[in-house]
Structure formats: structure tokens, C-alpha cells
Amino acid sequence: MEEKKTSFIHIISRIISDFFNPLVSLVIYFVYFSIQNYTFKEAFTHFLPILLITILPVIIWIVWNVKTGRYTNMDVSNRVQRKTLYIFIAVCIISYLAFNYIKNGFIDFVMLFILILLFALQFSNLYIKSSMHTAFNVFVAALFFAFDVKIGFVWLAIAALVGITRIILKRHTVKEVFMGAGIAILVSFIYLYCNNKYQRNDLPTEVIPVETTIK
């Protein structure tokens, strides 16, 4: 009876952990933000480069490395294997930031802080394998907080739930989950502070990232 209960918990944990992986959570944010703030054409124009330059290449990279045996699983839970993943994601984000700056004349604030979070996690990975699932969901909560406090709190609860599932699935220890959350909280605080500062200073729209433009 106990085995069935444990098995059920693991199944639910796996569903939650897989669904709220960093890429899916970020896509949900981008889609929701776009629906709330853009026309369909504007949303498509803004999101398509992110999809083609960052999200799809990262997915293809992970799948290819899993199939060739370089990565143990889609979570890339091995600390040593994560080094190349961090580098590849960073290259993709930097490529997008350069493309967006050349095309639109401003730095995408959200993607910049995603890169900062990634660098922080990469540094942490030298000493401890911080939970990327937990970290990115905490940061997504901060992104929602910037324009919808209620959803921000909801996503913060989701981040906590995801952290618990990572422990249940034995992908991370409690220490690793708290480390990921702590790093993300620090980066999120800086992001929210900078975001509010941009709005208070009422900078010209051409130098304010799309996500922080005052309507």
C-alpha cells in the first residue's frame, strides 16, 4: 500500500517537474505578457526571435545530447554535464541580445537578467549543483510581479512546489534547491529594483526594454 502511494507521489512530481521546467515556464510568461500588452502581430514579431534564437536551439541541443549519450537525461541533472549546457544557453542568449540591439536599438531587459541568472547558476555549479528548475521558476514569479502581483504570488507558490518535486524525484538535495532559490531571489530583487527605477525615471521608450515600457 505504501509503495503505491509513493509511486503516485512520484508520478505527480514528475508531471509537475516536467511541465514547469525552465523553458516551459519562460514561454508561458512570454505568451501571457504578449497577450496582455501587444497585438497579435506585435507579439509574434517580438516572440519569434526569442523562439528561434534561444528556445528552439536549446531544446534541440538537449535532445541531441541525450540521444548521443552526452547527457544522462533531459534535466541534465549531472553537474559535470551541465557545464556545456550553461555555455550553450549563454551563447544563444547573447546572440539574441545582439540581434535585438542591432534590430531595435535597445537591450532586452528580461533576457539580460536571464543571462545574469544563468551566469550566477553556472558559477554556483562549480561548487554545488543548484536547482535550475527552482531558480528559473522563482525568477518567472519576479517577472510576473513586475506587472501582475497576484500571478506573481501564484507563480512563487508554483516555484516552491517545483522545488519540492525536485527533492522527491532525487534530482536535487534540499541544499541544492535552496541554493537555486536563493540565487534567483537575489537576481530577482535586482531585476525588480532596476525595473522600477526605469519606470520612475520615465526614460524614452526607445531605450527602455519592451517588457518595461510604460503604457
Side-chain angles (χ1 to χ4, degrees):
M1 191 71 179
E2 184 65 29
E3 290 183 358
K4 289 184 178 179
K5 183 178 179 181
T6 303
S7 177
F8 176 75
I9 291 175
H10 274 73
I11 291 172
I12 297 300
S13 296
R14 167 58 64 187
I15 292 172
I16 294 172
S17 181
D18 286 347
F19 184 79
F20 292 107
N21 71 67
L23 287 174
V24 173
S25 296
L26 285 170
V27 168
I28 291 174
Y29 163 76
F30 283 124
V31 170
Y32 182 84
F33 183 88
S34 296
I35 291 173
Q36 294 295 315
N37 294 275
Y38 302 135
T39 64
F40 177 79
K41 183 178 179 180
E42 290 171 339
F44 182 79
T45 302
H46 176 66
F47 182 67
L48 186 61
I50 296 176
L51 179 66
L52 295 179
I53 301 175
T54 60
I55 296 173
L56 284 181
V58 170
I59 292 173
I60 294 170
W61 174 266
I62 294 174
V63 171
W64 179 72
N65 278 281
V66 169
K67 286 189 175 182
T68 56
R70 291 181 176 86
Y71 293 163
T72 305
N73 50 52
M74 293 291 289
D75 289 340
V76 195
S77 53
N78 183 287
R79 186 161 69 95
V80 176
Q81 295 172 358
R82 282 194 171 190
K83 292 179 181 179
T84 56
L85 176 62
Y86 283 131
I87 293 171
F88 184 80
I89 296 174
V91 170
C92 290
I93 295 175
I94 291 171
S95 298
Y96 167 76
L97 287 171
F99 167 82
N100 184 73
Y101 186 79
I102 293 170
K103 182 177 183 291
N104 299 312
F106 63 83
I107 296 175
D108 189 312
F109 207 51
V110 169
M111 294 300 290
L112 175 62
F113 270 86
I114 289 175
L115 182 64
I116 292 172
L117 176 59
L118 187 72
F119 280 145
L121 290 172
Q122 186 173 16
F123 180 77
S124 169
N125 192 59
L126 297 174
Y127 306 97
I128 180 174
K129 185 186 70 175
S130 302
S131 173
M132 286 183 68
H133 277 66
T134 307
F136 272 90
N137 275 288
V138 168
F139 184 68
V140 168
L143 295 178
F144 278 118
F145 268 120
F147 72 97
D148 194 320
V149 175
K150 290 182 180 179
I151 297 182
F153 277 115
V154 169
W155 212 275
L156 198 57
I158 290 174
L161 183 61
V162 169
I164 293 172
T165 66
R166 302 306 288 168
I167 296 170
I168 293 174
L169 295 171
K170 297 182 178 179
R171 296 297 191 190
H172 289 283
T173 63
V174 174
K175 183 179 179 181
E176 292 169 349
V177 168
F178 273 98
M179 180 62 74
I183 291 171
I185 289 171
L186 177 60
V187 174
S188 297
F189 177 81
I190 298 172
Y191 164 77
L192 289 173
Y193 172 80
C194 293
N195 182 64
N196 289 334
K197 187 176 181 180
Y198 269 118
Q199 292 183 346
R200 285 198 306 268
N201 289 341
D202 194 22
L203 296 177
T205 57
E206 57 265 23
V207 299
I208 300 179
V210 176
E211 283 76 9
T212 58
T213 300
I214 302 174
K215 304 299 181 184

